[in-house]
Amino acid sequence: MPYSRSPLPRSRPFTAPRPEPVRPNTPLLAVTGSTLVLAAREEGYGSAHHGVRQGAARRSARRRVHPYARLFAPPGARAFTAGNLLARLPMGMFSVAAVIMIAGSRGSYALAGAVTATGLAATALAGPWTARLVDRYGQARVAVPATAIAVLGSLALLLCVRYGAPDWTLFAAYTATATTPNTGGMSRARWAHLHRGDAAALHTANAFEQAADELCFMLGPVLAAFLCTALFPEAGTLTGAVLLLTGVLVFAAQRATEPPAAGRTAASLAPLHSPALTGLLAVFLATGVVFGATEVVTLAFADDRGHGAWAGAVLALQAAGSGVSGLLLGSLAPARRPRVRLLLCVAAMAALLTLPALAARTGSLPLLAGALLLAGAATAPTMVTGMTLVQRLTPEARLNESMTLAVTALLAGIAAGAALGGWAAEHTTAARAYAVPPAAASLALLLAAFGAYRPGKRREAGTAR
């Protein structure tokens, strides 16, 4: 068979296989000599995405930390808080101690009430000026000498009562205590400085400060009454003066946490020139009426039932309910719309205050105590949200002054509420006089809803930015 050449199959041109795209987290293989190298590729291509993931992880870790642990994390926070609590406790002691001391020595509750009322009025006038000096020159430079003057006034009152000085000297001595600085406002200013830009931490700080207020005003009168009756009449005033001076010295020594002084060059608007803040102060004034009327009416109700010795314990239950609710509120997320939360809190306060009014109709003091415990649960959230709005409506250079004005409005409301509640209890009955606190809370709700701070909406946004 002859040899025949068969044609070869037609070959295709050689093309290298296209490499598959490397997927995230796919290992990369390489050979170096006799060694196989395995390399891992991070998901997401590039360090920018890796940085985003790390930032998200850090934020998630911060969220897992308890709010109060994060609040006290900065160095010096616990030290200035301890000093502040020592200095704040006498705020609830001085008036009760002065009344017991003067009435026991001079035999006149009218004189004792007039002296303490004069001191309250002087504090309302001098407090904002002291706070303005604190903003301008710094906390330590102003708070220490102002406290020294106030302590000397307390000691002068003690000596005048002890050695039978004329009545007018009591008024003069107690007026000197008006220079006592607002340690609660200074503490809130420190929190705002340490946690500026962190809305959650500031919310927790305001809740803690309100709970501290409730604790001090709950324990202060009890401690003062115990010291004056168990030791000697001047013991309450003397102990309060020592605690105040010691606490302020410890507080002022923590210079690392002190906010910088604004100086004379601060061109910020005075707080009372802001329609927004002025309207909010009106809400604080009406809220103070609630507190003052509740205190006096409760004292009258307990006295009418022959249980006057238990009146302090009943009022302490209201403060305890407020303190617990304040601490719980601090562990929650801050309000995105604090104006709306303020309306809800004031509305809840007005609704819960109807419970003591209903309980008083039954004549049962234990039932009234439980109703006041529930009613107090709305107090701290209202005050915390109100103070948050004060901070948002105020430039940093006027923060102490604005918060002192809020406290002054609250004290003025307490004085007015005490007078109104006393008049209602005397001219009607103590049970019917419990209608005054919910009526005052309803007035606060109207002020918050319609007349408070609508004109300051743009100012608040600018301050927050």
Side-chain angles (χ1 to χ4, degrees):
M1 181 175 180
Y3 175 78
S4 65
R5 183 179 175 183
S6 59
L8 295 173
R10 193 172 185 180
S11 61
R12 297 178 181 177
F14 175 77
T15 57
R18 179 178 299 176
E20 295 183 2
V22 180
R23 296 195 178 103
N25 298 328
T26 300
L28 303 179
L29 302 177
V31 178
T32 61
S34 60
T35 305
L36 178 64
V37 180
L38 178 64
R41 184 181 182 88
E42 180 70 25
E43 179 182 0
Y45 305 107
S47 60
H49 185 75
H50 182 64
V52 172
R53 292 184 62 204
Q54 285 184 335
R58 285 194 296 266
R59 288 192 297 270
S60 177
R62 283 198 301 265
R63 284 194 294 267
R64 288 194 295 268
V65 179
H66 196 275
Y68 286 101
R70 183 155 56 96
L71 177 66
F72 291 101
R78 297 182 182 182
F80 88 73
T81 300
N84 181 260
L85 291 177
L86 279 178
R88 201 184 299 189
L89 181 61
M91 298 299 105
M93 297 177 58
F94 280 131
S95 59
V96 175
V99 168
I100 295 176
M101 180 175 62
I102 296 173
S105 174
R106 304 296 172 94
S108 173
Y109 278 97
L111 176 62
V115 170
T116 55
T118 302
L120 180 62
T123 302
L125 295 175
W129 290 98
T130 305
R132 183 177 298 180
L133 293 176
V134 168
D135 285 328
R136 179 176 295 180
Y137 298 108
Q139 294 183 357
R141 291 182 61 186
V142 176
V144 174
T147 302
I149 296 173
V151 168
L152 290 176
S154 296
L155 296 179
L157 176 67
L158 186 153
L159 294 175
C160 290
V161 173
R162 181 75 175 179
Y163 293 102
D167 291 347
W168 66 267
T169 60
L170 308 184
F171 291 91
Y174 204 67
T175 301
T177 63
T179 61
T180 305
N182 179 16
T183 53
M186 291 192 298
S187 181
R188 289 180 173 92
R190 292 204 178 203
W191 292 125
H193 172 65
L194 292 176
H195 298 285
R196 55 186 179 276
D198 191 344
L202 291 179
H203 166 72
T204 305
N206 285 329
F208 172 78
E209 291 297 326
Q210 184 59 38
D213 278 338
E214 298 293 345
L215 177 65
C216 293
F217 280 99
M218 179 176 64
L219 297 180
V222 177
L223 179 60
F226 171 77
L227 291 173
C228 292
T229 55
L231 299 180
F232 49 92
E234 297 84 5
T237 300
L238 183 60
T239 304
V242 173
L243 288 176
L244 175 62
L245 184 59
T246 304
V248 170
L249 289 176
V250 173
F251 180 84
Q254 311 306 316
R255 302 301 294 268
T257 58
E258 182 179 351
R264 291 180 174 271
T265 59
S268 55
L269 190 67
L272 290 179
H273 292 170
S274 168
L277 187 59
T278 304
L280 190 58
L281 293 180
V283 178
F284 276 94
L285 181 67
T287 305
V289 175
V290 173
F291 300 156
T294 302
E295 181 176 354
V296 172
V297 173
T298 301
L299 293 173
F301 181 85
D303 189 58
D304 286 347
R305 297 300 183 276
H307 301 291
W310 291 95
V314 173
L315 290 173
L317 282 177
Q318 184 186 16
S322 178
V324 171
S325 66
L327 291 175
L328 292 177
L329 181 68
S331 62
L332 302 178
R336 294 184 178 180
R337 301 174 64 187
R339 299 168 184 271
V340 177
R341 175 174 284 187
L342 181 64
L343 289 173
L344 294 177
C345 291
V346 178
M349 183 172 65
L352 290 176
L353 282 171
T354 60
L355 297 178
L358 295 175
R361 297 296 180 95
T362 66
S364 171
L365 188 62
L367 187 60
L368 176 65
L372 286 174
L373 177 66
L374 294 176
T379 300
T382 301
M383 297 302 300
V384 169
T385 310
M387 282 297 182
T388 300
L389 279 171
V390 169
Q391 293 175 353
R392 293 196 178 192
L393 291 168
T394 307
E396 188 175 356
R398 296 282 189 140
L399 192 55
N400 281 292
E401 183 180 356
S402 295
M403 287 189 290
T404 302
L405 285 172
V407 174
T408 300
L410 195 67
L411 292 176
I414 290 174
L420 184 60
W423 182 90
E426 183 176 349
H427 288 79
T428 58
T429 61
R432 292 182 179 180
Y434 269 105
V436 175
S442 301
L443 176 61
L445 180 61
L446 291 176
L447 292 172
F450 299 106
Y453 30 81
R454 287 187 177 184
K457 184 175 182 180
R458 185 176 302 176
R459 176 183 173 86
E460 178 188 350
T463 304
R465 284 196 296 270

